[in-house]
Amino acid sequence: MTFRFPTLRFPYWTELGNVLFAHDGYQMSPAAQFAFRRARRLGSNDPTPFFFEGLAWMRAGDFKKAQILWRLALQKTPADATYRPAIEQRVMLLD
């Protein structure tokens, strides 16, 4: 019998990116970047992986990358989402 890893969905990859980022001293390591990239690919229509990768880049000091990712998160956020104003505010602060 062959063991197969379950297919991880984007929330797990997003969380893995967050954990790796924190573990690596709040620096964007290649491993964290890989996890976030994978999350964005699997959840390409969801704002979650874009928002949290942007948050990691902001914490790492790369405000331009954070702004780009938060703008993408905002584009993917439904107009009636309760969290939309929070993303709008973050984008505006980085403008």
Side-chain angles (χ1 to χ4, degrees), residues 68-90:
I68 291 166
L69 286 158
W70 282 349
R71 283 185 186 281
L72 290 168
L74 188 59
Q75 289 173 3
K76 296 168 187 305
T77 301
D80 61 346
T82 57
Y83 54 87
R84 186 178 178 90
I87 298 174
E88 289 172 334
Q89 182 182 25
R90 284 169 173 80

Side-chain angles (χ1 to χ4, degrees), residues 10-15 18 36 39-40 43-55 69-70 72-74 76-78 83 87:
F10 73 88
Y12 300 108
W13 284 104
T14 302
E15 184 57 24
N18 284 328
F36 281 123
R40 283 189 284 118
S44 60
N45 294 322
D46 191 288
T48 307
F50 296 87
F51 175 81
F52 283 104
E53 184 179 359
L55 182 62
L69 286 158
W70 282 349
L72 290 168
L74 188 59
K76 296 168 187 305
T77 301
Y83 54 87
I87 298 174

Side-chain angles (χ1 to χ4, degrees), residues 1 3 5 8 11-12 14 18 23 26-27 29 33 38-39 41 49 51 58 62 64 66 69 71 78 84 89 93 95:
M1 182 170 152
F3 178 77
F5 285 102
L8 293 178
Y12 300 108
T14 302
N18 284 328
H23 180 268
Y26 299 98
Q27 299 299 312
S29 67
Q33 289 179 49
R38 180 85 171 161
R41 192 168 58 118
F51 175 81
M58 195 268 314
D62 194 328
K64 189 64 176 168
L69 286 158
R71 283 185 186 281
R84 186 178 178 90
Q89 182 182 25
L93 288 172
D95 279 342

